[in-house]
Structures are given as structure tokens and as C-alpha cells.
Amino acid sequence: MFGFLFSCTFSQDDCKDDWVSIPDEYQQEVISYRAEKDATGEVKIVVKVHLTVAQKSQSEFTCEISSDLRWNCLPQPHNPQCTCILSDDLNAKELDVTVYIAFGRTTLTKQLKLFDCSDRSLSCQQCIRAGCGWRENRCTWDSEGVRNESVCRRSTSQGNLVRPGNISVFPRRVSYYGRNNATLRGHNLTGVIAVKVHAEMDCSPQESPVWNNNGESLTFHIPRRANEAEAKVCAVLSDGSCHGEADITYQSAPSCTRLESSVSWRR
């Protein structure tokens, strides 16, 4: 008996003009970023997209940031990187920021928390995930600071990490527009630094920052998606491991087709 193995591939010419693909090399995040501050005190975020896109889509690359403060994204960003400058003063300890990237009809969204990188109370994980650098055991705006989470794993004793368990999410049914928050409940949540949401057909899970963590419950953003889907949620520790499994269902927003009754009292 003979066995045969066939392998089929598509060339770029076989695809539409707006194709997007993930590079062969492993990327922890599709969108990465770093926070910078110059001598004048100007704060900016440099966003980089780790995707390969069609030549036509590269010319349609746009970048936008949404938050409670005003941002000015530099015009005509060059794929795969864009720079946005904070127009207001960063006078809060933390700032929720949403980054919107578009390649023509393809859109990407990333939610992040921006901290003051000079805040000495920041942990290594908070520092790196805010796009800051870690140097001499403290967070810094310094460009020479390490901006990779591996520095946190080296400084953290994994024996002290307690695995979260028995996690659940409320609400379990959410809109796929992702414009709301959810609560994750469970045991041993103190060391949780993020929440991953992964649908079966997604290329990579989406990761959201957490806050209001009291060890038994925490709050996180629901990442948006383009369609309805069943997704799994797990809790991320500082060593990058993800624990527990909870279900969440993305569904379209409700629509109204008729109102009963069509007659009402004037008052």
C-alpha cells in the first residue's frame, strides 16, 4: 500500500487586492506599541502592526487613538507603524486608550492602559504592558529600558504564582461591537494581569487589560469582533500562562421591527 502527501498553497496573485496575512515568525501580539517622552515632556505612542498586507492596502493604512484625552496622530502614517502624540497633560495615574488600525476594509483594534512610566509603584508587568521600559528594577521612559516581558519573568519567582480557578464571566452574552465591560469571577485572581478572549476561528486570541482586581473578581474590556461567535476566556498570569476556561457568546445587537401598542395616552 502506498501513501501520498499533497500540499496546496495559494500565491498572492490568487488573492484579492485587500489580502492580509500573519508572518511566519511568531508574534506575541498582532499590534505592539511603546510609550515615549522626550525632553520637552511630550508623550507619544508608537504603534506597530505585525502583519503582511497587499501593496494596495499599504497605501490605505490609517491609525487613530480614542481616549478621554486628546491625541494627534501624525498624518500619512507609513505601514506598518504610526505615531500619535498626546495633546493634553497626562495628569492621571492611568489612562484607557483604544487604538484603531485600518488597511482599507480590514480593521484592527487594541485596548491598552497608558501609565506614567516614571511611577515607581508600577510592577514590571504593568510597566511593560503600558509600553514603558524596565531598567534597574523600576519603570522608566528611558529608551534604554527593556520593553520585553521576558525581563519580568526573570525577576518573578514562578513558585509564588497561584493558578486562578473556577472562573466565570458576566455577562456571558455580549454584543460583537465590544463597547462594554465584563466581570470575571473566580478563585486566586490576585496575580491576574490580563484576560484573553479566543474564538475558534481566530488567528490569535485578543488580550484585554484588567482593573478593580480584588482577588475574587476583576473587570476587563470586551474586545470587539466582526461577527457572531462562541469564544473562550482565560486569566493571564505574569509568566504569560493562561488559566481557567469560561464561555462568552458574541451576538449582534437587537433590532426593533414593531411597537405594540401603536396608540398611547397623551400623558
Side-chain angles (χ1 to χ4, degrees):
M1 180 178 293
F2 296 93
F4 297 92
L5 177 65
F6 295 93
S7 176
C8 299
T9 60
F10 292 94
S11 67
Q12 295 179 359
D13 295 335
D14 296 325
C15 302
K16 297 180 180 180
D17 292 336
D18 58 351
W19 59 266
V20 175
S21 67
I22 299 175
D24 292 336
E25 65 269 17
Y26 170 75
Q27 296 289 350
Q28 185 178 9
E29 296 285 348
V30 173
I31 299 177
S32 65
Y33 58 93
R34 68 179 187 271
E36 297 181 351
K37 189 175 185 179
D38 61 21
T40 65
E42 183 178 74
V43 176
K44 64 182 178 181
I45 292 180
V46 181
V47 181
K48 187 174 182 180
V49 182
H50 302 278
L51 290 174
T52 304
V53 299
Q55 187 67 35
K56 177 182 177 181
S57 298
Q58 292 184 22
S59 62
E60 299 174 343
F61 178 65
T62 61
C63 183
E64 181 182 346
I65 283 185
S66 173
S67 75
D68 293 336
L69 299 181
R70 294 175 300 165
W71 291 85
N72 177 32
C73 294
L74 300 185
Q76 299 179 340
H78 182 68
N79 174 64
Q81 183 171 294
C82 66
T83 301
C84 296
I85 300 172
L86 181 61
S87 302
D88 296 328
D89 293 330
L90 183 62
N91 52 16
K93 285 190 175 182
E94 59 185 63
L95 177 65
D96 290 318
V97 176
T98 305
V99 180
Y100 300 95
I101 301 291
F103 296 93
R105 292 178 294 176
T106 301
T107 59
L108 302 172
T109 303
K110 185 174 184 66
Q111 294 169 327
L112 57 100
K113 275 190 179 294
L114 178 65
F115 293 89
D116 180 354
C117 296
S118 61
D119 186 351
R120 291 180 177 270
S121 67
L122 293 177
S123 68
C124 181
Q125 290 78 21
Q126 288 176 318
C127 177
I128 300 300
R129 288 172 180 267
C132 305
W134 188 258
R135 187 182 185 190
E136 297 177 353
N137 292 322
R138 65 181 181 87
C139 198
T140 178
W141 294 102
D142 194 336
S143 60
E144 296 182 5
V146 180
R147 296 173 184 265
N148 191 303
E149 271 193 50
S150 61
V151 67
C152 302
R153 295 169 189 169
R154 291 196 300 268
S155 61
T156 300
S157 172
Q158 295 190 15
N160 294 332
L161 294 177
V162 180
R163 290 189 173 190
N166 195 29
I167 68 170
S168 61
V169 175
F170 179 83
R172 293 183 59 182
R173 302 183 71 87
V174 298
S175 165
Y176 54 54
Y177 292 109
R179 295 174 181 171
N180 56 335
N181 302 327
T183 299
L184 185 142
R185 301 188 181 101
H187 302 315
N188 304 322
L189 301 183
T190 304
V192 175
I193 60 173
V195 169
K196 280 186 180 180
V197 180
H198 193 189
E200 183 177 354
M201 298 303 294
D202 290 347
C203 295
S204 60
Q206 299 187 70
E207 190 169 300
S208 296
V210 304
W211 66 98
N212 295 337
N213 187 347
N214 61 17
E216 296 181 351
S217 67
L218 55 83
T219 306
F220 69 98
H221 283 300
I222 298 292
R224 65 184 302 177
R225 59 176 298 111
N227 54 5
E228 299 183 9
E230 301 286 337
K232 300 291 185 182
V233 173
C234 62
V236 182
L237 294 178
S238 60
D239 64 351
S241 60
C242 208
H243 303 275
E245 186 176 279
D247 296 321
I248 193 168
T249 301
Y250 282 90
Q251 58 187 6
S252 59
S255 61
C256 299
T257 58
R258 188 174 61 179
L259 179 65
E260 295 282 356
S261 127
S262 59
V263 179
S264 176
W265 294 103
R266 181 169 56 185
R267 294 182 183 270

